[in-house]
Amino acid sequence: MPRKSFSARTLDANALKSFAHPLRLRLYELLEEHGPSTATRLAGLVGQNTGATSYHLRELARHEMIEAVPELGRGKEKYWRVAPGGFSYGESPADADAAGALAFLLDEVVRQRGAELTRWREEADGTPEEWVQASGLGRRSLRLTAGETAGMRDEIFEVLERYRALSDRRISASPGAPDPGTAHVIVHFDVFPVGVEEVDGPAR
């Protein structure tokens, strides 16, 4: 969920405030990982009653974070999935409550990254070799200008956007079950300066 993207919808202040809720974040994560699901199944996964999960799913849908999948439901049963296209947090909003919500969400991104990396390290030994070979953990420490940094960021986001679109098409074509040979793949990308005030500020 990068702050900059090329076709993803930027969340407005109301969406930020609505999304900054621990249970809604968890429901969104579960739909990302497991694909379409019902309020009843999700309730069992998060230890809540169906009424609570239904309410929070409707809130996510109201802000276009998720959408219903009519072709999977039977009777009153409703399936939900993550809305195609992804989203961006955008710049820090002027509204104080929305700015606080954005800070909460960015802290959650950092927490989620750590949890996902820890999970991968725990599961790696039992993962099929072809997926181990396809994975990668990397870190680079570079000396760049702000313009060069922005250019690199945009090039990488263009690549991520191409594969995100491929994933969205695949999910839309087969909403009920993942295609054989595919897996839930997580890509982390962060680029940021550290110590800029120390370097560029007056000597002490």
PDB file of all heavy atoms in Angstrom, residues 1 8-9 15 20 29 32 45 57-58 72 76 81 92 101 103 109 120 138 145 149 153 167 178 180 185:
ATOM      1  N   MET A   1       0.817  -1.173   0.000  1.00  0.00           N
ATOM      2  CA  MET A   1       0.000   0.000   0.000  1.00  0.00           C
ATOM      3  C   MET A   1       0.870   1.249   0.000  1.00  0.00           C
ATOM      4  O   MET A   1       0.985   1.964   0.987  1.00  0.00           O
ATOM      5  CB  MET A   1      -0.904  -0.001   1.214  1.00  0.00           C
ATOM      6  CG  MET A   1      -1.896  -1.140   1.222  1.00  0.00           C
ATOM      7  SD  MET A   1      -2.891  -1.191   2.692  1.00  0.00           S
ATOM      8  CE  MET A   1      -1.691  -1.810   3.862  1.00  0.00           C
ATOM      9  N   ALA A   8      -3.882   3.715  -8.699  1.00  0.00           N
ATOM     10  CA  ALA A   8      -4.622   3.436  -7.475  1.00  0.00           C
ATOM     11  C   ALA A   8      -5.389   4.679  -7.024  1.00  0.00           C
ATOM     12  O   ALA A   8      -4.959   5.813  -7.238  1.00  0.00           O
ATOM     13  CB  ALA A   8      -3.657   2.994  -6.379  1.00  0.00           C
ATOM     14  N   ARG A   9      -6.524   4.439  -6.409  1.00  0.00           N
ATOM     15  CA  ARG A   9      -7.341   5.538  -5.891  1.00  0.00           C
ATOM     16  C   ARG A   9      -6.718   6.087  -4.620  1.00  0.00           C
ATOM     17  O   ARG A   9      -6.315   5.335  -3.734  1.00  0.00           O
ATOM     18  CB  ARG A   9      -8.748   5.014  -5.608  1.00  0.00           C
ATOM     19  CG  ARG A   9      -9.732   6.058  -5.105  1.00  0.00           C
ATOM     20  CD  ARG A   9     -11.102   5.426  -4.936  1.00  0.00           C
ATOM     21  NE  ARG A   9     -11.073   4.396  -3.916  1.00  0.00           N
ATOM     22  CZ  ARG A   9     -11.361   4.608  -2.628  1.00  0.00           C
ATOM     23  NH1 ARG A   9     -11.666   5.813  -2.207  1.00  0.00           N
ATOM     24  NH2 ARG A   9     -11.345   3.619  -1.773  1.00  0.00           N
ATOM     25  N   ALA A  15     -12.329   8.439   4.097  1.00  0.00           N
ATOM     26  CA  ALA A  15     -11.890   7.054   3.936  1.00  0.00           C
ATOM     27  C   ALA A  15     -10.732   6.739   4.880  1.00  0.00           C
ATOM     28  O   ALA A  15     -10.673   5.654   5.467  1.00  0.00           O
ATOM     29  CB  ALA A  15     -11.494   6.793   2.495  1.00  0.00           C
ATOM     30  N   ALA A  20      -8.840   3.560   9.438  1.00  0.00           N
ATOM     31  CA  ALA A  20      -7.939   3.505  10.597  1.00  0.00           C
ATOM     32  C   ALA A  20      -8.645   2.880  11.795  1.00  0.00           C
ATOM     33  O   ALA A  20      -8.856   3.514  12.845  1.00  0.00           O
ATOM     34  CB  ALA A  20      -7.426   4.901  10.940  1.00  0.00           C
ATOM     35  N   GLU A  29      -6.850  -7.304   5.517  1.00  0.00           N
ATOM     36  CA  GLU A  29      -5.692  -8.186   5.383  1.00  0.00           C
ATOM     37  C   GLU A  29      -6.124  -9.618   5.073  1.00  0.00           C
ATOM     38  O   GLU A  29      -5.517 -10.300   4.234  1.00  0.00           O
ATOM     39  CB  GLU A  29      -4.865  -8.173   6.672  1.00  0.00           C
ATOM     40  CG  GLU A  29      -4.109  -6.890   6.913  1.00  0.00           C
ATOM     41  CD  GLU A  29      -3.398  -6.901   8.259  1.00  0.00           C
ATOM     42  OE1 GLU A  29      -3.365  -7.982   8.904  1.00  0.00           O
ATOM     43  OE2 GLU A  29      -2.890  -5.851   8.673  1.00  0.00           O
ATOM     44  N   GLU A  32      -7.249  -9.912   1.534  1.00  0.00           N
ATOM     45  CA  GLU A  32      -6.074  -9.910   0.655  1.00  0.00           C
ATOM     46  C   GLU A  32      -5.420 -11.285   0.605  1.00  0.00           C
ATOM     47  O   GLU A  32      -5.031 -11.770  -0.460  1.00  0.00           O
ATOM     48  CB  GLU A  32      -5.040  -8.896   1.162  1.00  0.00           C
ATOM     49  CG  GLU A  32      -5.239  -7.472   0.712  1.00  0.00           C
ATOM     50  CD  GLU A  32      -4.025  -6.632   1.005  1.00  0.00           C
ATOM     51  OE1 GLU A  32      -3.434  -6.763   2.102  1.00  0.00           O
ATOM     52  OE2 GLU A  32      -3.644  -5.826   0.140  1.00  0.00           O
ATOM     53  N   LEU A  45     -12.641 -16.107  12.009  1.00  0.00           N
ATOM     54  CA  LEU A  45     -11.195 -15.892  11.969  1.00  0.00           C
ATOM     55  C   LEU A  45     -10.749 -14.796  12.930  1.00  0.00           C
ATOM     56  O   LEU A  45      -9.625 -14.835  13.435  1.00  0.00           O
ATOM     57  CB  LEU A  45     -10.762 -15.536  10.546  1.00  0.00           C
ATOM     58  CG  LEU A  45     -10.903 -16.645   9.500  1.00  0.00           C
ATOM     59  CD1 LEU A  45     -10.575 -16.116   8.111  1.00  0.00           C
ATOM     60  CD2 LEU A  45      -9.992 -17.828   9.840  1.00  0.00           C
ATOM     61  N   LEU A  57     -17.470  -4.650   7.313  1.00  0.00           N
ATOM     62  CA  LEU A  57     -17.319  -4.912   5.878  1.00  0.00           C
ATOM     63  C   LEU A  57     -18.113  -3.901   5.052  1.00  0.00           C
ATOM     64  O   LEU A  57     -17.636  -3.417   4.016  1.00  0.00           O
ATOM     65  CB  LEU A  57     -17.774  -6.332   5.548  1.00  0.00           C
ATOM     66  CG  LEU A  57     -16.845  -7.445   6.029  1.00  0.00           C
ATOM     67  CD1 LEU A  57     -17.551  -8.799   5.940  1.00  0.00           C
ATOM     68  CD2 LEU A  57     -15.540  -7.477   5.224  1.00  0.00           C
ATOM     69  N   ARG A  58     -19.305  -3.556   5.510  1.00  0.00           N
ATOM     70  CA  ARG A  58     -20.094  -2.549   4.800  1.00  0.00           C
ATOM     71  C   ARG A  58     -19.399  -1.192   4.824  1.00  0.00           C
ATOM     72  O   ARG A  58     -19.445  -0.439   3.841  1.00  0.00           O
ATOM     73  CB  ARG A  58     -21.496  -2.437   5.418  1.00  0.00           C
ATOM     74  CG  ARG A  58     -22.399  -3.635   5.128  1.00  0.00           C
ATOM     75  CD  ARG A  58     -23.856  -3.320   5.439  1.00  0.00           C
ATOM     76  NE  ARG A  58     -24.063  -2.918   6.820  1.00  0.00           N
ATOM     77  CZ  ARG A  58     -24.303  -3.765   7.816  1.00  0.00           C
ATOM     78  NH1 ARG A  58     -24.349  -5.071   7.582  1.00  0.00           N
ATOM     79  NH2 ARG A  58     -24.505  -3.317   9.050  1.00  0.00           N
ATOM     80  N   LEU A  72     -20.702 -15.378  -6.408  1.00  0.00           N
ATOM     81  CA  LEU A  72     -20.343 -16.416  -5.435  1.00  0.00           C
ATOM     82  C   LEU A  72     -21.408 -16.633  -4.370  1.00  0.00           C
ATOM     83  O   LEU A  72     -21.418 -17.662  -3.708  1.00  0.00           O
ATOM     84  CB  LEU A  72     -19.017 -16.050  -4.745  1.00  0.00           C
ATOM     85  CG  LEU A  72     -17.761 -16.024  -5.617  1.00  0.00           C
ATOM     86  CD1 LEU A  72     -16.540 -15.731  -4.765  1.00  0.00           C
ATOM     87  CD2 LEU A  72     -17.581 -17.349  -6.350  1.00  0.00           C
ATOM     88  N   LYS A  76     -29.012 -15.248   0.818  1.00  0.00           N
ATOM     89  CA  LYS A  76     -28.591 -14.026   1.506  1.00  0.00           C
ATOM     90  C   LYS A  76     -27.092 -13.995   1.763  1.00  0.00           C
ATOM     91  O   LYS A  76     -26.566 -13.000   2.258  1.00  0.00           O
ATOM     92  CB  LYS A  76     -29.344 -13.899   2.831  1.00  0.00           C
ATOM     93  CG  LYS A  76     -30.846 -13.685   2.670  1.00  0.00           C
ATOM     94  CD  LYS A  76     -31.510 -13.485   4.025  1.00  0.00           C
ATOM     95  CE  LYS A  76     -33.002 -13.224   3.857  1.00  0.00           C
ATOM     96  NZ  LYS A  76     -33.675 -13.011   5.184  1.00  0.00           N
ATOM     97  N   ARG A  81     -14.631  -9.134  -1.552  1.00  0.00           N
ATOM     98  CA  ARG A  81     -13.235  -9.222  -1.954  1.00  0.00           C
ATOM     99  C   ARG A  81     -12.629  -7.815  -1.959  1.00  0.00           C
ATOM    100  O   ARG A  81     -13.353  -6.808  -1.992  1.00  0.00           O
ATOM    101  CB  ARG A  81     -13.090  -9.844  -3.340  1.00  0.00           C
ATOM    102  CG  ARG A  81     -13.608  -8.971  -4.465  1.00  0.00           C
ATOM    103  CD  ARG A  81     -13.408  -9.635  -5.813  1.00  0.00           C
ATOM    104  NE  ARG A  81     -14.047  -8.877  -6.893  1.00  0.00           N
ATOM    105  CZ  ARG A  81     -14.225  -9.349  -8.113  1.00  0.00           C
ATOM    106  NH1 ARG A  81     -13.826 -10.573  -8.411  1.00  0.00           N
ATOM    107  NH2 ARG A  81     -14.801  -8.607  -9.039  1.00  0.00           N
ATOM    108  N   SER A  92      -0.206  14.119   3.456  1.00  0.00           N
ATOM    109  CA  SER A  92      -0.793  14.345   4.774  1.00  0.00           C
ATOM    110  C   SER A  92      -1.933  15.350   4.664  1.00  0.00           C
ATOM    111  O   SER A  92      -1.732  16.467   4.163  1.00  0.00           O
ATOM    112  CB  SER A  92       0.271  14.861   5.744  1.00  0.00           C
ATOM    113  OG  SER A  92      -0.277  15.016   7.038  1.00  0.00           O
ATOM    114  N   ALA A 101      -5.373   9.756  11.583  1.00  0.00           N
ATOM    115  CA  ALA A 101      -5.691   8.450  11.003  1.00  0.00           C
ATOM    116  C   ALA A 101      -4.582   7.991  10.068  1.00  0.00           C
ATOM    117  O   ALA A 101      -4.196   6.816  10.067  1.00  0.00           O
ATOM    118  CB  ALA A 101      -7.021   8.526  10.251  1.00  0.00           C
ATOM    119  N   ALA A 103      -1.407   8.811  10.234  1.00  0.00           N
ATOM    120  CA  ALA A 103      -0.260   8.403  11.059  1.00  0.00           C
ATOM    121  C   ALA A 103      -0.464   6.998  11.606  1.00  0.00           C
ATOM    122  O   ALA A 103       0.461   6.171  11.618  1.00  0.00           O
ATOM    123  CB  ALA A 103      -0.061   9.403  12.201  1.00  0.00           C
ATOM    124  N   VAL A 109       1.373   0.004   8.659  1.00  0.00           N
ATOM    125  CA  VAL A 109       2.142  -0.521   7.530  1.00  0.00           C
ATOM    126  C   VAL A 109       3.481  -1.051   8.017  1.00  0.00           C
ATOM    127  O   VAL A 109       3.928  -2.136   7.627  1.00  0.00           O
ATOM    128  CB  VAL A 109       2.349   0.572   6.458  1.00  0.00           C
ATOM    129  CG1 VAL A 109       3.406   0.148   5.446  1.00  0.00           C
ATOM    130  CG2 VAL A 109       1.041   0.861   5.739  1.00  0.00           C
ATOM    131  N   TRP A 120       7.506 -15.026   6.913  1.00  0.00           N
ATOM    132  CA  TRP A 120       8.255 -15.651   5.827  1.00  0.00           C
ATOM    133  C   TRP A 120       9.476 -16.386   6.358  1.00  0.00           C
ATOM    134  O   TRP A 120       9.770 -17.508   5.946  1.00  0.00           O
ATOM    135  CB  TRP A 120       8.665 -14.609   4.798  1.00  0.00           C
ATOM    136  CG  TRP A 120       9.735 -15.078   3.851  1.00  0.00           C
ATOM    137  CD1 TRP A 120      10.975 -14.544   3.688  1.00  0.00           C
ATOM    138  CD2 TRP A 120       9.676 -16.205   2.971  1.00  0.00           C
ATOM    139  NE1 TRP A 120      11.698 -15.252   2.752  1.00  0.00           N
ATOM    140  CE2 TRP A 120      10.911 -16.278   2.293  1.00  0.00           C
ATOM    141  CE3 TRP A 120       8.693 -17.151   2.677  1.00  0.00           C
ATOM    142  CZ2 TRP A 120      11.204 -17.267   1.355  1.00  0.00           C
ATOM    143  CZ3 TRP A 120       8.983 -18.136   1.744  1.00  0.00           C
ATOM    144  CH2 TRP A 120      10.215 -18.191   1.091  1.00  0.00           C
ATOM    145  N   GLY A 138      16.046  -7.856  -0.025  1.00  0.00           N
ATOM    146  CA  GLY A 138      17.156  -6.999  -0.418  1.00  0.00           C
ATOM    147  C   GLY A 138      17.132  -5.666   0.300  1.00  0.00           C
ATOM    148  O   GLY A 138      16.076  -5.165   0.676  1.00  0.00           O
ATOM    149  N   THR A 145      20.391  12.234  -4.936  1.00  0.00           N
ATOM    150  CA  THR A 145      19.679  13.493  -4.742  1.00  0.00           C
ATOM    151  C   THR A 145      18.192  13.192  -4.561  1.00  0.00           C
ATOM    152  O   THR A 145      17.725  12.081  -4.835  1.00  0.00           O
ATOM    153  CB  THR A 145      19.851  14.416  -5.957  1.00  0.00           C
ATOM    154  OG1 THR A 145      19.195  13.810  -7.083  1.00  0.00           O
ATOM    155  CG2 THR A 145      21.328  14.643  -6.272  1.00  0.00           C
ATOM    156  N   THR A 149      16.129  10.102  -6.273  1.00  0.00           N
ATOM    157  CA  THR A 149      15.336   9.211  -5.418  1.00  0.00           C
ATOM    158  C   THR A 149      13.903   9.106  -5.933  1.00  0.00           C
ATOM    159  O   THR A 149      13.335   8.017  -6.026  1.00  0.00           O
ATOM    160  CB  THR A 149      15.353   9.719  -3.968  1.00  0.00           C
ATOM    161  OG1 THR A 149      16.700   9.798  -3.510  1.00  0.00           O
ATOM    162  CG2 THR A 149      14.561   8.796  -3.051  1.00  0.00           C
ATOM    163  N   ARG A 153      12.017   5.787  -7.408  1.00  0.00           N
ATOM    164  CA  ARG A 153      10.723   5.376  -6.834  1.00  0.00           C
ATOM    165  C   ARG A 153       9.684   5.188  -7.923  1.00  0.00           C
ATOM    166  O   ARG A 153       8.977   4.175  -7.969  1.00  0.00           O
ATOM    167  CB  ARG A 153      10.269   6.443  -5.841  1.00  0.00           C
ATOM    168  CG  ARG A 153       8.864   6.230  -5.258  1.00  0.00           C
ATOM    169  CD  ARG A 153       8.288   7.553  -4.789  1.00  0.00           C
ATOM    170  NE  ARG A 153       8.133   8.481  -5.893  1.00  0.00           N
ATOM    171  CZ  ARG A 153       7.964   9.798  -5.751  1.00  0.00           C
ATOM    172  NH1 ARG A 153       7.967  10.334  -4.546  1.00  0.00           N
ATOM    173  NH2 ARG A 153       7.807  10.575  -6.810  1.00  0.00           N
ATOM    174  N   SER A 167      -2.279  -9.203 -11.644  1.00  0.00           N
ATOM    175  CA  SER A 167      -2.924  -9.899 -10.532  1.00  0.00           C
ATOM    176  C   SER A 167      -4.412  -9.605 -10.486  1.00  0.00           C
ATOM    177  O   SER A 167      -5.237 -10.509 -10.295  1.00  0.00           O
ATOM    178  CB  SER A 167      -2.252  -9.479  -9.214  1.00  0.00           C
ATOM    179  OG  SER A 167      -2.936 -10.013  -8.103  1.00  0.00           O
ATOM    180  N   PRO A 178      -8.146 -19.375  -6.367  1.00  0.00           N
ATOM    181  CA  PRO A 178      -6.922 -18.923  -7.034  1.00  0.00           C
ATOM    182  C   PRO A 178      -6.510 -19.869  -8.151  1.00  0.00           C
ATOM    183  O   PRO A 178      -6.774 -21.067  -8.096  1.00  0.00           O
ATOM    184  CB  PRO A 178      -5.886 -18.921  -5.901  1.00  0.00           C
ATOM    185  CG  PRO A 178      -6.415 -19.891  -4.893  1.00  0.00           C
ATOM    186  CD  PRO A 178      -7.909 -19.787  -4.970  1.00  0.00           C
ATOM    187  N   PRO A 180      -4.286 -22.329 -10.259  1.00  0.00           N
ATOM    188  CA  PRO A 180      -3.201 -23.254  -9.898  1.00  0.00           C
ATOM    189  C   PRO A 180      -1.845 -22.659 -10.268  1.00  0.00           C
ATOM    190  O   PRO A 180      -1.695 -22.024 -11.308  1.00  0.00           O
ATOM    191  CB  PRO A 180      -3.510 -24.501 -10.742  1.00  0.00           C
ATOM    192  CG  PRO A 180      -4.970 -24.401 -11.045  1.00  0.00           C
ATOM    193  CD  PRO A 180      -5.265 -22.931 -11.168  1.00  0.00           C
ATOM    194  N   VAL A 185       1.555 -13.406  -3.038  1.00  0.00           N
ATOM    195  CA  VAL A 185       2.918 -12.864  -3.022  1.00  0.00           C
ATOM    196  C   VAL A 185       2.896 -11.445  -2.483  1.00  0.00           C
ATOM    197  O   VAL A 185       2.107 -10.613  -2.936  1.00  0.00           O
ATOM    198  CB  VAL A 185       3.527 -12.878  -4.441  1.00  0.00           C
ATOM    199  CG1 VAL A 185       4.885 -12.191  -4.459  1.00  0.00           C
ATOM    200  CG2 VAL A 185       3.648 -14.312  -4.949  1.00  0.00           C
TER     201      VAL A 185
END
